[in-house]
Amino acid sequence: SVQFFEGFPYYVFQQQVEMDLKIMLDPENMDTKAVQNHETRLPLITRKKSAPMCSEKIVKGHSVGTLWALPASHHMGSPLPLLEDDVTKGILSLTDQKLIPPAARINLQTPPIASKAAPLHEFHRQLKKSPEAIYGTSSPSKGNMAPLPSSSSMVSARKSKPVWTYPAQQLEPKLQVPPQTQDPCFDGDIAVYHGRIDQKAPSFLAFKQHYIFSWGNIVSFLEHTEKLLKDYAVPLATINCQKLAEVASDSELSEHPTKSDILSVIKNQPTVEKLLNPPGQRHKGQGGPEMAATKIQATWRCHRARRAYIHLRQQQWASGVIHSSWLSHQLMARVRKALKESRQRHLENFSTRAKHLAANWNRIRTSRRTIIHIPSLGYPQCIREHIPDLAVQQNMQLGRLCDIQDANVDVIYICPLHLSEELLQYYNKLLGLQAAVRSGNPEDMGDLQDRFRILTPEAINSFPEQHMCLATQLKYSPKTIQRIQKLIQGRDAYIVGGVPHQDELAVADMLNLPILGSGPEVARLYSSKSGSKRIFASACVSTPPGAADIHSKEQMIHVLSQLIVDHVEVQRWVFKANDEARGEGTAYCDLPSHLQCCPWLQEEQQRHSPESWAEKWAREPALVKISQELPGLLAQHVQPVNEKRFPTWEKFLQTFLSQGGVIEAFPHSAEVTNLTVDMLIEPTGEIKIVSSGDQLHAEGPLKSSGSTIPQHSVDPAVLSSLCLKIGETCRSKGVLGYFSIDFVTFIHPQTLEQQVWATDLDLCYSDQLALTQLMLYVTGGSLDCLSSHFEVSLGSKDLKSQRIPHEETEPSPPRSRRCAVVSSQLRHSSLSGISYSVLLQRCKARGVGFDLQEKQGTVFILYEDEKCCRLGMITIAEDLQGVLLTFAHNLFIIHQEISPPNMQGETNFKMAIQGIEAILGITAENKVKLEEEQPWRADALKE
């Protein structure tokens, strides 16, 4: 009988069967004799009936069902006679009895081994054989089947000899017990206490006996289960035997079951799972302290390695940043160096061409020439970002086109917007009025399209988010540069810019033309509020009490306290940021009315004499009290002019201190008039006053919206004297070209004398000057700023236009004085809902137009036709009161024509009308009188 051992898989049993067959087929083999010594018992061979056989050679095979009999036809030729009983014993018996010679050739009618295709199974599946495949087609009997081993012998054999498995053996099919040897309804549980199974328990032994033929997989699964429960110190677990057998039969011996597989065979799975999940539970079981120590060491080493790795990555990152920063720094340094050299070269060429322009100015200004107007606002980037509709603001000087009034001048106007055909036609007709203005006959209109060009750089839409000034856009527009070069080829030309910028010098270098203007650095230095104070101080002109070059909050508080003590009578103090323009960076505060210590301060001043009050010791207590009150007072009561940009004092203060600024007193008077004077320093050094006008304030007392030309608030001789002093000082500082000066005049409440203070200086071409040029063009008049007279020649229908005024053969027509109101800052949101042609027709129907014979009426300046929210207007009449009322009347008509009753829109028309009322001193009482005397003029004051 074949011995079975506990835990032996089926492949061991199969190998034993194969060896037994080898011994039966070749008993003389020396290799099989050693096997016989291990008490291997051969199976009993059942005798069968004799059959004819041929004995010539013994056939060896690995596995046979029975021993075949030799055919009777092959009995002849044998050395001994064969009996019938011998023949029936088979080839092996005949060979043992030496009845068949060793060299005999045996032919078998039926081969002992039948070949057929072996079935191949998937690697992960178990190849299970049926009992018929193992024992043959017939059911095994007790005579030819080895008895099954007992469980005790299997346990002892397992204890005595270990079982080893190999990868090749894992592919062997498992032995399946015939169905009648297993009870499919077996159900039982195995208890595991502290990771150990009681193998002597009846339930375990019964389970073992029941699943004896698949016990190898079950034992391996149980070992892993015991190890898991020991590792996690599980006190009690109950295993479902049937589930265990199912899971174990589906697994391979070489595969370790997962935790989920083990938990799936445990009945009290939730309880065991709760014990497995808590952190640190693994360290309470078998080998827990060693594993905890290993975990701590591994964690510490990981932490240390991770920290070293992070430090290394930080160093690598830092080295990369340093490397890239250094490369960027080197690149930026080269770019800065190239820009510096380029700008220095541009500045040197600018100075050289300015000298050439000065040397040839007398010839150039009387000969055929081309003026290139670039109305660029070259403010710093931080200021341009806060200018609403920057392109429209740069296009408000279309009056520069009127330089063609001189027959020797052609104009190239660089426009920051694409003008539609309607607008181009409008300006073509407007500029064609020159001959009609001289003759007074509208039929004498000419076509002057060959005298002016309006060019738009192609780069105006290339940088929508950069807020570039017009000079920079022109710099990056090579096609426009080439076109300008063709237009000025072979002719004298020069550039008249706006607010100077570095890129203006670059454009001048590209065109090789001089600039009639100051350099960017000079303009920025003396156009600032602090710089203009230095110019006025050098020119010895009166300025408001104040202080300049303030850059810190402590300095501001100290200086303002000192000013309040020195000028107790001043009621309002004005704060101006250095680089802001058009009143945007201005704020004011009525400090004495809010100072709690102001009454005490006035008493202290009266208690001391003027000499003692000038001493520091007398004013020290007042300075301390004022300095303590000022920070909170300013935060509550300062009023910025542009509340949208500076909604709080903190934001205004941030801009004020970053740019620097000035603090100056506002005149303490009921009537205060601001005026602007435009001047020109020619390349030869000659100083001229080209325009002057009193300011209109439609949006507050510190922001100009227009002017009345000429000015009537200051004696022209006094004003000319002040302007010439300032002009000489500017010329000594290197200022060239057009610039404007702002003054404020009032009657001193104590001395009752007129005071004139210089308040601001802008080294650029102003909007007022552009409107003045258009005013003179449409009237054919002249403006004498030394006498503040604006005179026009009344035309005649019979008078023919003459191109050269020096060839007059008839006496000059009579001249008449005129006044004008000009504004470039009119704003109404409803303008976008109507086209310009319709607006002009409606205004003409309401009597708003221009009379070429009388040289009075209204002219509009149209900037663009996309948003259409802004326009300019020039109104000309015989006297100041009449022109102001006409201007207000025109605003009233435009408002009526473009605004439905229920949609008034956002506008500054009403504030402009209120400003006109303030200038005229119109009150509720004299409005009634005005309606009786001049009802058409009073209509403008009803809204």
Side-chain angles (χ1 to χ4, degrees):
S1 62
V2 181
Q3 299 290 334
F4 283 83
F5 296 93
E6 181 185 2
F8 269 41
Y10 167 70
Y11 65 84
V12 178
F13 170 73
Q14 188 179 14
Q15 288 180 353
Q16 187 66 37
V17 174
E18 292 178 357
M19 187 59 65
D20 292 342
L21 291 177
K22 288 182 181 181
I23 294 171
M24 290 187 296
L25 294 176
D26 192 7
E28 297 299 328
N29 193 344
M30 295 301 296
D31 296 333
T32 60
K33 290 182 179 181
V35 179
Q36 294 177 4
N37 295 332
H38 292 283
E39 299 179 356
T40 303
R41 298 179 182 180
L42 297 177
L44 297 177
I45 300 175
T46 306
R47 293 180 179 268
K48 294 185 178 180
K49 294 182 180 181
S50 61
M53 68 179 183
C54 177
S55 58
E56 289 185 1
K57 188 176 181 181
I58 299 175
V59 179
K60 298 180 181 180
H62 290 284
S63 60
V64 294
T66 58
L67 296 178
W68 298 268
L70 292 176
S73 61
H74 293 277
H75 291 175
M76 293 182 297
S78 59
L80 295 176
L82 298 177
L83 301 177
E84 188 68 24
D85 295 337
D86 295 332
V87 174
T88 58
K89 292 181 179 179
I91 297 175
L92 185 60
S93 176
L94 295 176
T95 305
D96 290 340
Q97 297 177 16
K98 304 296 182 179
L99 297 178
I100 299 177
R105 185 175 180 180
I106 302 173
N107 292 328
L108 300 178
Q109 294 179 351
T110 303
I113 301 176
S115 60
K116 65 177 180 178
L120 297 179
H121 301 275
E122 296 183 7
F123 180 76
H124 64 277
R125 285 189 171 183
Q126 296 287 345
L127 181 59
K128 298 182 181 179
K129 292 185 178 180
S130 62
E132 289 79 7
I134 299 175
Y135 300 101
T137 55
S138 61
S139 300
S141 62
K142 294 182 180 179
N144 59 2
M145 178 177 177
L148 294 176
S150 63
S151 60
S152 60
S153 62
M154 293 174 65
V155 173
S156 61
R158 182 181 178 186
K159 292 182 178 178
S160 62
K161 186 176 181 180
V163 178
W164 301 92
T165 59
Y166 299 93
Q169 297 171 354
Q170 297 173 12
L171 300 178
E172 295 290 340
K174 294 182 176 62
L175 177 65
Q176 275 196 341
V177 183
Q180 63 269 22
T181 62
Q182 278 191 348
D183 183 10
C185 299
F186 180 85
D187 189 12
D189 297 333
I190 298 176
V192 184
Y193 297 97
H194 299 286
R196 293 182 180 274
I197 300 175
D198 186 5
Q199 299 185 3
K200 296 181 180 180
S203 59
F204 180 78
L205 295 176
F207 173 64
K208 179 179 177 182
Q209 181 67 27
H210 191 77
Y211 293 99
I212 188 65
F213 292 104
S214 59
W215 189 247
N217 288 355
I218 295 175
V219 167
S220 177
F221 195 93
L222 288 175
E223 288 177 353
H224 289 94
T225 303
E226 286 182 337
K227 185 177 183 304
L228 177 66
L229 299 178
K230 284 180 183 179
D231 290 345
Y232 285 88
V234 178
L236 175 63
T238 305
I239 299 177
N240 188 331
C241 295
Q242 186 176 359
K243 185 68 175 177
L244 172 61
E246 293 176 0
V247 175
S249 63
D250 293 338
S251 63
E252 296 287 344
L253 286 176
S254 61
E255 296 180 356
H256 297 290
T258 61
K259 185 185 292 187
S260 61
D261 293 338
I262 295 174
L263 290 174
S264 66
V265 304
I266 296 176
K267 271 193 171 183
N268 57 338
Q269 179 180 351
T271 306
V272 175
E273 234 175 340
K274 289 181 181 178
L275 293 174
L276 297 180
N277 292 332
Q281 182 67 24
R282 173 62 186 88
H283 304 141
K284 297 179 181 179
Q286 181 181 7
E290 293 80 3
M291 181 166 287
T294 304
K295 182 67 175 179
I296 292 172
Q297 291 178 359
T299 304
W300 167 248
R301 290 171 183 168
C302 179
H303 168 71
R304 187 171 57 184
R306 178 65 180 171
R307 187 172 58 183
Y309 172 73
I310 292 175
H311 181 64
L312 175 63
R313 289 297 302 270
Q314 288 177 347
Q315 288 181 335
Q316 292 177 346
W317 173 81
S319 63
V321 170
I322 293 172
H323 178 69
S324 60
S325 299
W326 174 249
L327 292 179
S328 177
H329 170 74
Q330 289 292 97
L331 179 62
M332 292 298 295
R334 287 195 294 268
V335 172
R336 288 192 185 99
K337 183 179 179 181
L339 285 175
K340 186 176 181 180
E341 293 175 353
S342 176
R343 290 175 178 177
Q344 183 64 29
R345 183 173 62 256
H346 293 163
L347 187 60
E348 292 174 357
N349 295 339
F350 165 76
S351 301
T352 302
R353 286 190 289 264
K355 293 178 182 178
H356 180 269
L357 182 65
N360 297 275
W361 179 249
N362 292 329
R363 176 187 62 81
I364 292 174
R365 69 178 179 179
T366 57
S367 62
R368 189 77 175 176
R369 62 193 183 277
T370 301
I371 302 177
I372 302 173
H373 284 283
I374 308 176
S376 174
L377 296 180
Y379 296 115
Q381 177 74 17
C382 60
I383 297 177
R384 294 200 304 270
E385 290 176 352
H386 295 96
I387 297 178
D389 299 327
L390 177 61
V392 178
Q393 294 289 341
Q394 293 180 125
N395 201 37
M396 288 184 176
Q397 297 182 1
L398 283 161
R400 295 183 184 221
L401 292 168
C402 297
D403 281 345
I404 63 174
Q405 185 174 10
D406 188 342
N408 293 323
V409 174
D410 292 342
V411 172
I412 298 176
Y413 178 82
I414 308 301
C415 182
L417 295 166
H418 287 291
L419 298 185
S420 64
E421 191 64 30
E422 182 184 9
L423 286 183
L424 293 176
Q425 186 178 3
Y426 173 79
Y427 283 106
N428 185 32
K429 291 182 177 180
L430 181 64
L431 297 176
L433 290 175
Q434 186 178 21
V437 168
R438 291 176 179 174
S439 64
N441 185 5
E443 297 180 357
D444 293 339
M445 289 183 58
D447 188 2
L448 300 179
Q449 291 189 36
D450 59 337
R451 298 278 310 280
F452 69 93
R453 293 287 189 277
I454 299 177
L455 304 181
T456 301
E458 64 267 22
I460 60 171
N461 295 324
S462 301
F463 310 97
E465 303 297 330
Q466 302 301 322
H467 302 280
M468 289 183 174
C469 65
L470 182 59
T472 305
Q473 292 173 342
L474 180 60
K475 176 184 175 182
Y476 297 116
S477 302
K479 293 182 180 179
T480 306
I481 294 292
Q482 292 177 2
R483 188 175 180 187
I484 295 173
Q485 289 173 342
K486 292 180 181 179
L487 291 174
I488 64 174
Q489 190 174 7
R491 306 180 64 177
D492 291 328
Y494 58 88
I495 296 173
V496 177
V499 178
H501 191 269
Q502 290 286 351
D503 289 334
E504 272 190 7
L505 305 185
V507 171
D509 246 23
M510 294 177 183
L511 299 174
N512 194 23
L513 294 178
I515 298 177
L516 183 60
S518 305
E521 296 299 329
V522 173
R524 184 173 182 180
L525 176 62
Y526 296 113
S527 287
S528 66
K529 302 301 183 290
S530 299
S532 61
K533 293 292 182 183
R534 290 190 287 270
I535 291 288
F536 298 151
S538 300
C540 299
V541 297
S542 299
T543 58
D549 294 312
I550 298 173
H551 293 275
S552 66
K553 187 175 182 179
E554 293 76 11
Q555 180 188 7
M556 181 191 68
I557 297 297
H558 175 73
V559 168
L560 185 55
S561 302
Q562 189 73 39
L563 290 173
I564 293 174
V565 172
D566 292 341
H567 305 278
V568 182
E569 72 280 358
V570 176
Q571 297 297 315
R572 175 174 292 181
W573 293 94
V574 182
F575 304 84
K576 296 180 180 179
N578 269 339
D579 298 332
E580 300 290 339
R582 304 172 184 264
E584 295 293 330
T586 305
Y588 60 92
C589 183
D590 299 330
L591 290 175
S593 60
H594 301 291
L595 276 175
Q596 296 181 359
C597 63
C598 188
W600 173 84
L601 177 62
Q602 294 175 353
E603 293 177 1
E604 286 291 313
Q605 183 184 17
Q606 294 174 2
R607 190 166 60 88
H608 292 81
S609 62
E611 293 78 10
S612 63
W613 182 247
E615 297 294 333
K616 184 178 180 180
W617 59 268
R619 297 184 296 176
E620 189 66 27
L623 291 175
V624 173
K625 286 190 175 184
I626 294 174
S627 300
Q628 292 175 352
E629 289 189 40
L630 277 180
L633 188 148
L634 293 174
Q636 294 181 3
H637 301 288
V638 170
Q639 183 69 32
V641 172
N642 188 349
E643 294 183 356
K644 292 183 179 179
R645 182 178 173 187
F646 304 111
T648 61
W649 161 249
E650 286 74 16
K651 290 190 176 182
F652 177 83
L653 182 63
Q654 182 181 2
T655 302
F656 180 84
L657 297 180
S658 63
Q659 298 180 8
V662 301
I663 301 176
E664 61 185 26
F666 191 82
H668 181 49
S669 176
E671 296 182 1
V672 178
T673 303
N674 297 86
L675 61 150
T676 301
V677 179
D678 290 293
M679 302 187 66
L680 169 65
I681 299 179
E682 295 185 344
T684 56
E686 184 179 356
I687 302 174
K688 294 181 178 180
I689 302 176
V690 293
S691 178
S692 64
D694 296 327
Q695 293 182 8
L696 294 176
H697 297 278
E699 300 182 24
L702 299 175
K703 189 173 182 179
S704 175
S705 299
S707 303
T708 60
I709 300 175
Q711 65 86 23
H712 294 90
S713 55
V714 180
D715 183 7
V718 174
L719 185 62
S720 299
S721 176
L722 295 175
C723 292
L724 292 176
K725 288 182 181 180
I726 296 172
E728 291 174 358
T729 304
C730 290
R731 182 178 59 187
S732 65
K733 301 294 184 181
V735 177
L736 180 67
Y738 295 96
F739 63 96
S740 60
I741 309 169
D742 289 345
F743 295 92
V744 59
T745 180
F746 62 99
I747 302 298
H748 196 279
Q750 296 179 357
T751 62
L752 299 180
E753 294 181 356
Q754 186 179 23
Q755 301 288 323
V756 181
W757 291 345
T759 58
D760 203 359
L761 177 68
D762 291 320
L763 302 183
C764 63
Y765 199 104
S766 70
D767 292 351
Q768 176 180 283
L769 180 57
L771 294 173
T772 300
Q773 294 290 89
L774 181 57
M775 177 193 72
L776 297 177
Y777 188 87
V778 298
T779 59
S782 61
L783 178 64
D784 185 4
C785 295
L786 297 179
S787 60
S788 290
H789 289 166
F790 171 33
E791 296 180 347
V792 297
S793 299
L794 297 179
S796 174
K797 294 184 179 180
D798 299 330
L799 183 65
K800 300 297 181 182
S801 60
Q802 299 175 358
R803 187 173 185 82
I804 302 176
H806 299 287
E807 299 179 7
E808 295 179 353
T809 58
E810 299 181 7
S812 59
R815 302 183 66 83
S816 176
R817 290 186 182 181
R818 294 289 184 268
C819 290
V821 176
V822 299
S823 177
S824 61
Q825 300 292 333
L826 298 177
R827 185 182 72 255
H828 202 301
S829 60
S830 298
L831 284 171
S832 58
I834 186 172
S835 64
Y836 284 136
S837 58
V838 175
L839 175 64
L840 295 177
Q841 291 177 2
R842 291 184 179 182
C843 290
K844 183 178 180 181
R846 297 288 296 271
V848 180
F850 189 77
D851 189 345
L852 291 176
Q853 294 183 357
E854 298 296 330
K855 303 295 190 301
Q856 60 183 2
T858 300
V859 177
F860 294 103
I861 302 97
L862 309 179
Y863 302 133
E864 47 90 25
D865 52 1
E866 292 183 3
K867 294 183 179 180
C868 301
C869 294
R870 297 175 183 269
L871 81 162
M873 187 169 65
I874 299 175
T875 301
I876 303 171
E878 295 180 354
D879 53 44
L880 179 60
Q881 183 180 7
V883 73
L884 288 172
L885 291 175
T886 303
F887 189 86
H889 180 68
N890 293 341
L891 293 180
F892 174 66
I893 290 176
I894 295 173
H895 179 73
Q896 278 188 331
E897 293 295 332
I898 65 176
S899 299
N902 56 345
M903 295 178 61
Q904 297 300 309
E906 182 181 353
T907 179
N908 60 355
F909 285 10
K910 187 174 182 179
M911 290 184 288
I913 295 175
Q914 291 175 353
I916 292 173
E917 290 181 1
I919 293 175
L920 297 176
I922 298 176
T923 61
E925 296 178 357
N926 54 22
K927 272 186 182 180
V928 178
K929 183 178 180 181
L930 183 64
E931 291 177 1
E932 296 175 355
E933 297 177 354
Q934 297 177 337
W936 68 272
R937 289 182 174 178
D939 290 341
L941 305 177
K942 291 181 181 179
E943 289 293 327

